[in-house]
């Protein structure tokens, strides 16, 4: 920014005001990946991530804050994204499920408020809210879920297919936008990765990355779902429900270039060039041949599928980690990191074999939790640990707070700025979280449910068939022992039910959302 260099007292005080204003208006870069579980971010310390570390994503935790108890309001892509944008629960922002519905882009959102307050706003990558983005000066989004290879990008003007790997393209377009910005406004930039979303196709350079790694099997991989009706009736089991061709890249026989079951070839092999297809089959050849020439029991095949799933899922994350590294390096080189708040999160957590599952949806910890790392030099101390209960409805209020912009009353989340600034949880901070999943019937057949979580306990109501579940997370961190209705839990249950009703009233849940869907 060019300014008159005559430095008098007046000019100095004007500069000081400018500095304060700049101080109040950080740039914001929000990196949102899709289905990235905290088990797969090494800053969180899970044993899996030690075998597949994420050193660049970890830099944000090292230089800023890591959130140990951050959760979503509804564990599925569109609804979580809608909560992030609006600061509201699903029943208030209207995006309940990934069914045939579109986000109501006419409502007030975080990017619109930032725009109104002098920010330049941009969105690059996955959107997945069906309606066209609003509140962004510049946007370039993937079509629906997006493709891993040679994806289409949609802009205000057209749809163009770009050659390359989706994660790399999103990184390139993000850097291009940063490099070609012309004005001095502060900016809000969302870089939304497709990875590591299903069907986990790594970049060519990463096909073999974890080929020889054996990942530890979760203790609950062969869960019998005893005492848990909804868990017993889902369809998201790795060894029963994964598509062997589409998801697991399994082929019909020795040296075959024909995949087993793949219901969506148009979103997978058919987006690759013939050369890319050939290199894909070659990369899996030896492993697939070994599968067909080795005698295995059913249990061994189930474990084999877990390894294949993890190898691919974690390999797609390597490209995301490289992307974050490139972006952080760029910010550092240009000095932009000094006044930029950088966030890394994912729209929800994900099952990496716990309970035998992939996917999300349940209020159990692995899918309910969202990773959250946040760096903002001068404001957030390096190595800050945030332990208070936070939720995706808090993101918008918190960012407005960091920008010195009033938080609108309709937002249901709270600013957690004090938690990041001090590293402590204030006495009057929330002690419980509300959750509500709606998408039933739907993919993976997870029953609709709502629930309340405190630091130690979780009460869930699957209201279609009237099943209740109660977990003591201290004694049962894997949530396999449903103690609802058991002797000695009466008082805990009463307290949690009361809290659940209080939250439903506080968040103004409509009466008909407490009843099962009419089929
Ligand atoms: Ca997702």
């Amino acid at each position: 920014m060019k300014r008159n260099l005559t430095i008098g007292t007046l000019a100095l005080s004007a500069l000081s005001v400018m500095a304060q204003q700049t101080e109040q208006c950080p740039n914001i870069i929000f990196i949102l990946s899709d289905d990235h579980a905290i088990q797969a971010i090494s800053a969180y310390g899970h044993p899996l991530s030690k075998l597949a570390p994420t050193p660049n994503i970890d830099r944000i935790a090292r230089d800023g804050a890591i959130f140990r108890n951050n959760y979503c309001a509804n564990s599925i892509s569109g609804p979580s994204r809608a909560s992030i944008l609006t600061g509201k629960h699903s029943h208030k922002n209207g995006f309940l499920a990934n069914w045939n519905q579109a986000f109501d882009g006419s409502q007030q959102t975080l990017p619109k408020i930032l725009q109104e307050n002098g920010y330049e706003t941009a969105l690059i990558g996955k959107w997945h809210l069906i309606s066209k983005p609003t509140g962004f000066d510049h946007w370039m989004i993937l079509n629906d879920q997006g493709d891993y290879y040679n994806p289409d990008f949609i802009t205000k003007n057209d749809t163009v297919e770009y050659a390359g790997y989706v994660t790399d393209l999103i990184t390139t377009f993000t850097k291009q936008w940063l490099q070609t910005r012309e004005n001095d406004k502060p900016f809000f930039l969302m870089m939304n990765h497709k990875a590591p979303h299903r069907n986990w196709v790594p970049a060519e350079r990463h096909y073999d990355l974890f080929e020889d790694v054996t990942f530890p099997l979760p203790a609950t991989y062969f869960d019998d779902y005893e005492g848990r009706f909804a868990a017993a009736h889902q369809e998201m089991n790795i060894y029963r429900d994964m598509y062997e061709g589409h998801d697991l890249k399994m082929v019909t026989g020795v040296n075959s270039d024909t995949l087993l079951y793949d219901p969506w070839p148009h979103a997978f092999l058919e987006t690759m060039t013939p050369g890319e297809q050939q290199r894909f089959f070659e990369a899996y050849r030896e492993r697939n041949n070994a599968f067909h020439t080795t005698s295995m029991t059913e249990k061994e095949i189930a474990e084999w599928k877990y390894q294949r799933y993890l190898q691919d899922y974690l390999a797609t994350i390597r490209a995301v980690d490289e992307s974050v590294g490139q972006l952080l390096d760029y910010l550092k080189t240009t000095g932009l990191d000094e006044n930029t708040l950088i966030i890394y999160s994912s729209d929800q957590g994900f099952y990496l074999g716990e309970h035998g599952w992939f996917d999300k949806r349940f209020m159990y910890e692995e899918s309910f939790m969202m990773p959250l790392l946040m760096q903002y030099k001068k404001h957030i101390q390096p190595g800050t640990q945030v332990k208070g209960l936070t939720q995706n409805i808090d993101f918008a209020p918190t960012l407005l707070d960091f920008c010195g912009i009033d938080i609108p009353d309709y937002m249901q989340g709270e600013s957690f700025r004090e938690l990041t600034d001090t590293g402590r949880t204030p006495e009057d901070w929330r002690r419980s979280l509300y959750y509500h999943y709606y998408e039933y019937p739907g993919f993976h057949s997870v029953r609709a449910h709502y629930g309340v979580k405190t630091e130690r306990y979780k009460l869930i109501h699957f209201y279609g068939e009237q099943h209740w579940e109660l977990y003591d997370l201290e004694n049962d961190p894997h949530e396999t022992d449903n103690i609802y209705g058991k002797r000695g839990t009466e008082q805990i249950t009463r307290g949690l039910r009361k809290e659940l009703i209080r939250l439903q009233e506080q968040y103004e849940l409509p009466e008909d959302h407490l009843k099962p869907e009419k089929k």
Side-chain angles (χ1 to χ4, degrees):
M1 200 186 292
K2 289 241 165 39
R3 293 278 163 192
N4 190 331
L5 291 175
T6 315
I7 309 278
T9 314
L10 198 64
L12 266 178
S13 69
L15 278 173
S16 155
V17 169
M18 267 178 56
Q20 279 171 16
Q21 281 173 346
T22 311
E23 190 82 359
Q24 285 174 352
C25 298
N27 302 307
I28 299 167
I29 298 185
F30 198 123
I31 309 167
L32 185 68
S33 55
D34 195 340
D35 296 355
H36 193 174
I38 67 163
Q39 304 94 295
I41 294 177
S42 40
Y44 279 98
H46 191 278
L48 267 187
S49 64
K50 291 195 175 24
L51 296 167
T54 51
N56 290 301
I57 295 170
D58 292 1
R59 281 162 66 183
I60 303 174
R62 187 194 64 203
D63 296 340
I66 182 165
F67 290 69
R68 294 285 174 185
N69 291 295
N70 185 59
Y71 292 84
C72 58
N74 181 355
S75 183
I76 189 163
S77 180
S80 179
R81 288 155 198 268
S83 285
I84 290 170
L85 289 171
T86 60
K88 296 186 283 192
H89 276 284
S90 305
H91 62 273
K92 285 285 185 184
N93 65 48
F95 203 94
L96 303 176
N98 281 353
W99 285 317
N100 297 328
Q101 64 175 150
F103 179 68
D104 171 11
S106 70
Q107 65 189 303
Q108 187 64 295
T109 60
L110 172 69
K112 284 188 191 174
I113 298 171
L114 290 171
Q115 240 178 358
E116 288 158 12
N117 283 274
Y119 271 73
E120 185 178 14
T121 57
L123 160 70
I124 294 161
K126 184 161 175 179
W127 172 245
H128 202 215
L129 286 169
I130 315 305
S131 57
K132 292 280 190 298
T134 55
F136 292 96
D137 299 309
H138 169 80
W139 54 267
M140 186 174 192
I141 58 170
L142 294 170
N143 182 22
D144 195 46
Q145 297 280 10
D147 302 317
Y148 272 106
Y149 279 81
N150 310 315
D152 283 348
F153 280 86
I154 305 169
T155 64
K156 280 171 199 152
N157 304 320
D158 52 24
T159 299
V160 177
E161 181 189 313
Y162 287 87
Y165 183 67
V166 68
T167 307
D168 301 342
L169 289 168
I170 290 170
T171 313
T172 299
F173 296 143
T174 300
K175 280 165 66 182
Q176 273 172 6
W177 184 80
L178 283 167
Q179 283 159 350
T180 55
R181 294 177 65 237
E182 283 177 356
N183 65 52
D184 289 332
K185 286 178 171 182
F187 63 82
F188 171 68
L189 166 65
M190 294 193 85
M191 177 169 82
N192 291 5
H193 280 300
K194 170 191 171 61
H197 191 274
R198 188 183 194 179
N199 64 334
W200 317 292
V201 189
E204 282 190 11
R205 63 187 180 280
H206 297 143
Y207 277 146
D208 302 334
L209 193 61
F210 299 118
E211 187 179 1
D212 300 320
V213 179
T214 303
F215 294 100
L217 205 66
T220 57
Y221 191 60
F222 293 106
D223 195 340
D224 62 6
Y225 312 122
E226 192 193 338
R228 290 157 286 152
F229 175 86
H233 289 82
Q234 46 63 43
E235 293 170 5
M236 48 188 258
N237 186 291
I238 292 170
Y239 39 96
R240 192 188 59 207
D241 302 309
M242 264 193 180
Y243 298 150
E244 292 185 328
H246 185 77
D247 295 324
L248 292 161
K249 292 89 180 175
M250 295 167 71
V251 294
T252 51
V254 173
N255 288 331
S256 166
D257 282 352
T258 305
L259 286 173
L260 286 171
Y261 186 58
D262 177 12
W264 304 301
H266 60 280
F268 178 21
L269 277 186
E270 288 173 14
T271 74
M272 292 180 177
T273 64
E276 284 167 341
Q277 288 183 14
Q278 194 188 344
R279 291 192 293 279
F280 163 77
F281 282 112
E282 285 303 322
Y284 288 81
R285 178 89 61 216
E286 206 179 312
R287 287 176 273 174
N288 280 340
N289 282 351
F291 177 83
H292 284 289
T293 51
T294 310
S295 169
M296 284 193 234
T297 63
E298 208 172 307
K299 183 164 178 280
E300 284 166 341
I301 291 173
E303 293 178 2
W304 183 94
K305 286 183 174 178
Y306 166 78
Q307 296 299 338
R308 169 62 59 88
Y309 163 45
L310 267 284
Q311 286 164 2
D312 286 347
Y313 176 90
L314 293 164
T316 66
I317 289 169
R318 180 57 59 91
V320 175
D321 191 64
E322 291 171 353
S323 162
V324 172
Q326 284 185 38
L327 194 60
L328 293 176
D329 288 347
Y330 175 80
L331 296 174
K332 194 163 184 199
T333 308
T334 54
L336 271 172
D337 63 331
E338 289 297 325
N339 194 41
T340 299
L341 198 163
I342 305 160
I343 296 168
Y344 186 88
S345 188
S346 173
D347 52 359
Q348 5 68 210
F350 213 66
Y351 293 97
L352 301 184
E354 301 85 359
H355 308 288
W357 298 339
F358 64 107
D359 213 72
K360 50 248 182 182
R361 300 161 200 272
F362 280 102
M363 197 193 169
Y364 305 134
E365 291 292 283
E366 292 83 358
S367 47
F368 186 20
M369 287 193 89
M370 281 169 84
L372 181 61
L373 312 172
M374 191 182 280
Q375 172 192 327
Y376 184 15
K377 281 191 172 183
K378 296 177 196 161
H379 290 267
I380 302 175
Q381 290 295 315
T384 298
Q385 301 266 341
V386 177
K387 297 196 176 128
L389 293 172
T390 56
Q391 200 163 24
N392 55 358
I393 55 169
D394 301 330
F395 294 4
T398 303
L399 293 177
L400 293 177
D401 196 4
F402 269 112
C403 298
I405 299 169
D406 289 342
I407 301 163
D409 289 339
Y410 71 78
M411 284 193 177
Q412 297 185 306
E414 305 280 334
S415 167
F416 51 68
R417 183 176 174 175
E418 192 181 341
L419 282 73
T420 55
D421 281 355
T422 64
R424 288 190 301 274
T425 309
E427 277 296 306
D428 60 353
W429 187 248
R430 73 160 72 85
R431 302 286 175 91
S432 65
L433 290 174
Y434 180 67
Y435 179 84
H436 201 141
Y437 172 78
Y438 289 88
E439 195 176 295
Y440 182 81
F443 265 124
H444 303 297
S445 278
V446 174
R447 265 57 178 181
H449 56 290
Y450 53 72
V452 58
K453 179 200 151 66
T454 61
E455 191 185 348
R456 178 164 175 182
Y457 294 102
K458 193 183 287 179
L459 180 71
I460 311 174
H461 187 204
F462 295 91
Y463 48 89
E465 283 99 353
Q466 296 295 327
H467 287 281
W468 288 86
E469 295 183 7
L470 172 66
Y471 296 98
D472 176 350
L473 297 165
E474 198 174 293
N475 291 325
D476 176 30
H478 298 311
E479 298 166 285
T480 53
D481 185 15
N482 174 16
I483 55 172
Y484 183 83
K486 294 207 173 149
R487 190 182 294 240
T489 61
E490 299 83 356
Q491 201 182 341
I492 296 158
T493 306
R494 257 197 312 277
L496 287 168
R497 264 194 200 245
K498 204 171 143 196
E499 181 62 5
L500 180 61
I501 291 165
R502 188 190 72 77
L503 288 171
Q504 288 179 331
E505 284 172 1
Q506 179 191 326
Y507 293 131
E508 300 174 326
L509 192 78
E511 188 68 20
D512 61 356
H513 283 222
L514 298 167
K515 298 187 181 95
E517 176 89 359
K518 291 206 173 53
K519 299 187 200 101

